[in-house]
Amino acid sequence: MGAPIAPVTVRPDVRLETAPMSPVSCDTCGAAVEARKSSWEQTSIQWHAADVERCLERRAAMPPRIEGTLFAGCVSLRQALAKAVERGDLPVLADD
Amino acid sequence: MTTAPDIPRQIEADPIAQRYARGWHCLGLSQDFRDGQPHQVLAFGTKLVVWEDSDGELRVLDAFCRHMGGDLSQGTVKDGNIACPFHDWRWGGDGRCKQIPYSRRVPLRARTSAWPTLDQDGMLFVWNDPQGNPPIAEQAIPKIPGASSDEWTDWHWYSIKIDGSNCREIVDNVVDMAHFFYVHYSMPTYFKNIFEGHVATQVMNGTDRGDVAVPSDDGSTLLAVKSTASYFGPSFMIDDLVYEYDTGNFESILINCHYPVDTDSFVLQYGIIVKKPQGVSDEYASASAATMGDFIKTGFEQDVAIWQNKARIDNPLLCEEDGPVYQLRRWYQQFYTDVDAVLPEMTERFEFELDMTRPAEAWSQEVAENIARAAENESV
């Protein structure tokens, strides 16, 4: 389409330089996500497309292609994250 | 542990690309374009003309006539077409030249740019796409149930042009938890973001600050404010906003939308509808929508003062209590990227829930000090 496409660059979160995301899998569906906990109450979760498809709660809550419906999050994954913290697989920054 | 070298951090900002976001943009309330006159809209670095055709459809074309460059927005509507003030060439809403009164026939390829439109819930939208593709069906603007219901008020609408600022600044508000306390007089108690596909959501609960008057019905007490706000595409946010008072709930829908005029200015528009409380006159309900709108206006005006004086910054320095600015901008970048070059990470689901413990402590204390100071001043 004429003009060359500028290279697409996306800057990473500066906070990840010192404390990156950690891989965690859900015990229920096996979805693999990356997570980061700033504190017990503060969590980031990065999903990937295939794992969103795998999530059972998501499937139950949200038939695809309904506009405007919000899936607030997966309770099973939340529990899996808590267990990962207990196992020491998911660091909690505020505890350092 | 190694210490970082003690040098000042530099603000970085790449040049702004001369490109406008792909997606639906709301131009305003439909009714404001339905007076039989052509309307000029400066948007996307160009000039558009908007008018109502003979079928009652709102139409949008490039304003510059492809004949000799006349400004169609200075023309007139004739037989449902737009007539150029320069030589009276008639352009249809489909972008084709329909007639040249002084010529036997219309030349070949007499076609201009017609912008896809959507007239929904009382608002007019245009689809912008630098690649020229038709609207993406999955990115349709959701219908707002209250907007077409007698149980809700009409739109109370605001429009303001903001010079000297790029529209990315307002989109940043989605994640900027702390500024809601400092700039919008809110007291956030819960904050979460979810980005997925073309939708970016902010869930924010708040409470009464105590040091700033919040609009309320005849002395009732505000218990909580609950807001779920989503951008559907790059510029149109629907905020499901409920004020919970001891006397009952005040339900509203707030629209927060904008369109770029050019890369250094944009038109911010916001509007509110309110569910009419039981046993209350329509006039009273409309007045309460206006009161709420004016309160929100104060916050936006303070945003504007910040935007017009701040630096554009691509490498913000963040603390842990800040929201996911980088991830939001990664999401926002999809609208400035050719469809086939959009990276998976721009649209893949991302969740961020903020720990409000420390902000709540700090702000409770600040509010208490403000109240104490105000009481002291009163007693003097």
Side-chain angles (χ1 to χ4, degrees), chain B residues 81-306:
Chain B
N81 299 318
I82 187 82
C84 183
F86 202 0
H87 306 90
D88 204 25
W89 284 38
R90 314 287 176 85
W91 296 90
D94 59 1
R96 292 182 187 281
C97 182
K98 304 292 180 187
Q99 192 196 357
I100 305 166
Y102 64 87
S103 172
R104 254 186 229 106
R105 64 169 67 95
V106 171
L108 290 171
R109 291 183 292 278
R111 228 184 118 193
T112 187
S113 291
W115 295 64
T117 58
L118 172 70
D119 185 359
Q120 182 172 290
D121 291 331
M123 293 169 282
L124 173 65
F125 300 82
V126 289
W127 175 262
N128 180 58
D129 185 353
Q131 295 176 278
N133 293 322
I136 298 170
E138 289 76 17
Q139 298 190 7
I141 300 293
K143 287 215 168 68
I144 299 165
S148 49
S149 161
D150 287 342
E151 294 172 19
W152 289 66
T153 64
D154 292 334
W155 291 111
H156 192 73
W157 198 258
Y158 300 79
S159 181
I160 173 180
K161 179 165 181 261
I162 295 160
D163 291 307
S165 186
N166 179 265
C167 56
R168 186 179 76 176
E169 301 295 349
I170 189 166
V171 177
D172 277 350
N173 277 8
V174 173
V175 292
D176 192 348
M177 187 281 292
H179 102 292
F180 285 101
F181 177 81
Y182 297 105
V183 179
H184 295 267
Y185 297 141
S186 304
M187 184 61 138
T189 54
Y190 177 85
F191 195 91
K192 180 171 181 171
N193 288 120
I194 302 171
F195 313 140
E196 188 174 346
H198 73 296
V199 181
T201 299
Q202 173 199 80
V203 182
M204 180 166 64
N205 297 340
T207 184
D208 191 6
R209 281 176 62 141
D211 63 336
V212 178
V214 174
S216 75
D217 289 338
D218 43 53
S220 53
T221 307
L222 179 63
L223 304 174
V225 185
K226 293 186 174 165
S227 163
T228 302
S230 296
Y231 267 109
F232 295 91
S235 73
F236 189 76
M237 171 183 269
I238 304 173
D239 183 0
D240 192 339
L241 181 61
V242 181
Y243 284 72
E244 296 181 356
Y245 292 94
D246 56 348
T247 48
N249 286 359
F250 181 90
E251 292 176 54
S252 66
I253 298 285
L254 174 69
I255 298 300
N256 161 19
C257 61
H258 64 271
Y259 61 84
V261 174
D262 53 38
T263 54
D264 196 39
S265 62
F266 60 98
V267 171
L268 166 65
Q269 303 199 69
Y270 46 102
I272 189 165
I273 54 172
V274 166
K275 191 173 185 190
K276 299 172 188 169
Q278 293 265 313
V280 153
S281 72
D282 283 9
E283 291 73 23
Y284 187 89
S286 295
S288 66
T291 306
M292 190 59 69
D294 287 348
F295 178 69
I296 291 160
K297 182 169 176 253
T298 307
F300 275 131
E301 283 168 352
Q302 300 195 120
D303 266 334
V304 172
I306 299 280

Side-chain angles (χ1 to χ4, degrees), chain A residues 5 8 11 13-15 36 38-39 41-49 58 67 71-72 78, chain B residues 9 12 138 192 196 314 319-320 322-323 326-327 330 338 346 348-355:
Chain A
I5 300 166
V8 177
R11 286 176 189 252
D13 191 331
V14 286
R15 295 171 292 191
R36 181 176 183 274
S38 303
S39 70
E41 290 83 6
Q42 179 158 335
T43 312
S44 312
I45 305 172
Q46 178 64 63
W47 292 77
H48 301 291
R58 153 92 175 198
E67 293 298 329
F71 176 59
R78 184 180 272 262
Chain B
R9 188 178 173 86
E12 296 169 10
E138 289 76 17
K192 180 171 181 171
E196 188 174 346
D314 289 347
C319 65
E320 288 293 335
D322 285 320
Y326 287 89
Q327 291 83 353
R330 180 182 69 181
D338 281 359
M346 293 175 183
E348 281 178 336
R349 182 179 175 90
F350 177 76
E351 300 174 32
F352 187 101
E353 187 170 340
L354 239 162
D355 181 353

Side-chain angles (χ1 to χ4, degrees), chain B residues 34 41 51 86 129 300 310:
Chain B
R34 294 190 182 283
V41 176
W51 82 99
F86 202 0
D129 185 353
F300 275 131
K310 75 183 289 295

